[in-house]
Amino acid sequence: MRISPTIRTSVVVLLLALASACGGDDDGPGGGGSGDAGPPDSGEPTCRGVADSCDLFAGHCEDQDGCFPDGECSGVPRSCSAIFTPGECGGMDGCDWSDGRCSGFPAACSTKVGEGSCAFQLDCVWTDGCQGRPLDCDFRATESECLRAEGCRWE
């Protein structure tokens, strides 16, 4: 399984934030914390809300931090023997033009791993997808980072 750099970074940030949250006893004024950040009710603006799920971003996945594009090629490619021109036959993975006809066995649509290769296999259709898990709003430390995430707000 390949993990995208964006997800790997999000996991590291999440783990660091969790470790930091568990490290002190900041229950209010004089709580003995490090002093780097006030308690949640300190009046300082923070990032709040719930970041929108990655599956809502098909087609523009990179717009949500923590999400990465994914998609699939589906359909049933036509039989090589149903292709009657050398150009179309040559464009089908698994088909060959010889002696005035197209023959062979076309590659299944599901074997196509990108939109471009899917488009060249006749009768295959690419569907955009988006996977991953966006970083929770609570772990976004700056206003600009917060506002980059759909569903989060700075207040």
Side-chain angles (χ1 to χ4, degrees), residues 93-124:
D93 186 17
C95 298
D96 292 305
W97 186 264
S98 173
D99 297 328
R101 66 185 186 96
C102 189
S103 61
F105 299 95
C109 296
S110 61
T111 65
K112 303 300 172 188
V113 293
E115 185 174 4
S117 66
C118 182
F120 283 110
Q121 199 72 341
L122 295 174
D123 301 322
C124 294

Side-chain angles (χ1 to χ4, degrees), residues 22-39:
C22 293
D25 184 11
D26 242 0
D27 291 331
S34 66
D36 292 340

Side-chain angles (χ1 to χ4, degrees), residues 22 28 46 52 55-56 66 69 71 77-78 104 107 131 151:
C22 293
T46 60
D52 290 347
D55 59 358
L56 298 176
R78 68 182 68 179
Q131 291 190 10

